[in-house]
Amino acid sequence: MSTHTGETAGAETPTAEAPAGRSGVRRLLGRFGGPAVRTRLGTLAGVVILAVLFWRLGTGAFVDGVRRIDASTLAAALGIGLVTTVFSAWRWALVARGIGIRLPFGAAVADYYRALFLNAALPGGVLGDVHRAVRHGQDAGDLGRGVRAVVLERTAGQLALFAAGGAVLLTMPSPVHDQMRQTALPAGLGLLGACAVVLALRMNRAPSGRKPRVVRGLLGEARQALFSRSTAPGVLVSSVVVLAGYVAMFVLAADVAGAGASVAQLLPLALLALLAMSLPLNVGGWGPREGVAAWAFGAAGLGAGRGLTVAVVYGVLSLAASLPGAVVLVARWYTAARDRRTADPAHSTAATRAVPEPVVMEPRPLARETETAAPEPDRQGLLVRIPAQLSEVRSEKYAPKESARLARSSLPFSAVPSEGRPMTPESV
């Protein structure tokens, strides 16, 4: 009996511990898959890429790239950045309006500048967009739609980049031209197959529950924000202009770095570098861009070191183009601090300051028989209405004191006449 009991207990122990072990593994995987961990891993990957570039190519490319930048180059970068930021803010406003929230154009430009500066100054390269999404959602009173507006706006930019990059890399000479031609047909067939599977699932889906309704709602918002008749033309035009501005910034950086290549040669290389920038493995945008630029320029026969210098110049010019965002950040912080000081009652003295009641001058009214104690007029014939508080103070100030009245009453011939009778020595 005891042996059977021991075997049973020993058999039950692993089954009882198995769910606990599986839940521990899930928690561990959940921690590693969290946003904070992904951001740190992406930052670490960007640091590793930069370290490898330093080790293989040295620091001369970085120093040479920064040294070649002058005032005219910075002015051109600020101009290109102004165009791209304005059109990006316009795209954001269109997307926000498409999903039903209001975003003024001026506020969108200022917030976009601030987000660009935070993206360039902070690790991860997306913290500025996160801040922009949360602030807009809080201001609009709908945090979910504010976040979705930023996500859809960034998605529109990425779709334009992927479409243009695929078309250019398939049709123009580039280091990945042959690879793109070999993978284009399988990739296209795979995309068509995925679309067919999604269509079949939609046609044979079960009765709708809460999750399918949420998914349909999100897809409907995306369709309304990006592909509706009122927003699609503006989103397309703004995305094309923004992408052209990024390519122009890369061509400017190549010219400053002395690459000596034509625009036709630089266009595929620029799109490769921009596609690498979209990877979440960077430190403020630095990392994959420099690695891909060094590899692409080396494969194109322009020199890996030259490609690294071009990428460094591009990064510095992008940071310079985002500097108006620092001004917006400081101005918003100062305005918020001033509003807090103004709203603080400890700093407001106007509320605690007593304001005396004004003296009102009115024309003298006609005498009436019913008036028993009319106030005396002044010399101009005006009736002076004295406030009650001031009259009490005046009466207390000028009223004779009790000791003075007693002293006067103790003097001879100080009796007060009464009933109209004259004063006589007998009455004293």
Side-chain angles (χ1 to χ4, degrees):
M1 181 68 67
S2 61
T3 304
H4 179 72
T5 305
E7 291 177 356
T8 305
E12 290 177 355
T13 303
T15 58
E17 292 178 354
R22 285 197 297 270
S23 62
V25 172
R26 290 197 191 97
R27 285 198 299 270
L28 184 61
L29 293 176
R31 290 178 181 177
F32 277 106
V37 176
R38 287 198 301 267
T39 301
R40 294 189 181 95
L41 291 177
T43 303
L44 180 61
V47 170
V48 170
I49 293 173
L50 292 176
V52 172
L53 291 175
F54 272 117
W55 173 54
R56 296 296 300 270
L57 301 176
T59 60
F62 290 87
V63 176
D64 185 46
V66 175
R67 188 182 300 162
R68 288 173 176 268
I69 299 173
D70 54 6
S72 60
T73 304
L74 290 177
L78 285 172
I80 295 173
L82 176 63
V83 174
T84 56
T85 304
V86 167
F87 275 88
S88 297
W90 179 41
R91 180 176 63 194
W92 182 27
L94 288 175
V95 171
R97 187 179 64 187
I99 64 175
I101 55 178
R102 180 177 175 272
L103 178 60
F105 179 68
V109 173
D111 291 344
Y112 216 102
Y113 258 123
R114 180 178 58 188
L116 289 176
F117 175 74
L118 293 176
N119 284 341
L122 298 176
V126 295
L127 296 181
D129 291 328
V130 173
H131 183 263
R132 171 167 63 105
V134 173
R135 287 296 301 271
H136 178 223
Q138 291 176 348
D139 294 340
D142 194 336
L143 183 60
R145 287 191 178 184
V147 172
R148 291 195 296 273
V150 172
V151 171
L152 291 174
E153 185 268 329
R154 296 299 297 163
T155 302
Q158 295 298 318
L159 289 176
L161 175 60
F162 291 151
V168 169
L169 295 176
L170 279 172
T171 56
M172 299 183 67
S174 67
V176 295
H177 182 264
D178 296 336
Q179 290 82 357
M180 288 292 296
R181 284 182 170 245
Q182 293 175 2
T183 59
L185 182 59
L189 292 177
L191 181 62
L192 289 177
C195 292
V197 170
V198 171
L199 183 61
L201 291 176
R202 290 194 62 181
M203 293 177 63
N204 299 321
R205 64 189 173 200
S208 60
R210 182 179 181 276
K211 189 171 182 180
R213 283 200 302 269
V214 172
V215 173
R216 284 200 304 272
L218 294 177
L219 293 177
E221 277 190 348
R223 184 172 59 251
Q224 184 67 26
L226 300 180
F227 304 108
S228 66
R229 188 174 300 177
S230 60
T231 60
V235 170
L236 179 61
V237 170
S238 60
S239 300
V240 170
V241 173
V242 170
L243 182 58
Y246 292 158
V247 173
M249 186 79 79
F250 192 89
V251 173
L252 175 64
D255 182 67
V256 171
S262 63
V263 177
Q265 290 177 301
L266 292 174
L267 182 58
L269 308 181
L271 289 172
L272 282 173
L274 293 175
L275 287 170
M277 285 178 59
S278 63
L279 297 175
L281 306 172
N282 57 76
V283 185
W286 298 77
R289 176 184 60 209
E290 284 70 27
V292 170
W295 167 79
F297 272 73
L302 299 175
R306 188 65 64 190
L308 179 58
T309 303
V310 171
V312 169
V313 174
Y314 181 89
V316 175
L317 295 182
S318 299
L319 179 61
S322 68
L323 286 180
V327 178
V328 174
L329 189 65
V330 173
R332 295 281 177 86
W333 173 82
Y334 176 76
T335 303
R338 186 184 60 186
D339 293 342
R340 284 195 298 267
R341 287 196 303 267
T342 304
D344 190 359
H347 296 279
S348 179
T349 58
T352 58
R353 187 178 301 166
V355 180
E357 186 178 354
V359 178
V360 182
M361 305 291 290
E362 295 181 354
R364 180 184 179 184
L366 297 176
R368 297 181 181 177
E369 294 181 357
T370 58
E371 294 180 354
T372 57
E376 295 183 359
D378 61 352
R379 294 181 180 179
Q380 285 79 14
L382 298 176
L383 178 63
V384 182
R385 181 181 298 171
I386 303 175
Q389 296 177 355
L390 295 180
S391 63
E392 291 176 3
V393 172
R394 184 174 296 175
S395 61
E396 292 176 3
K397 183 177 180 181
Y398 296 103
K401 296 183 179 180
E402 187 67 19
S403 60
R405 287 198 298 268
L406 292 175
R408 286 197 299 269
S409 63
S410 62
L411 295 177
F413 306 100
S414 61
V416 180
S418 59
E419 298 180 359
R421 293 178 296 178
M423 296 177 61
T424 61
E426 290 78 11
S427 63
V428 175

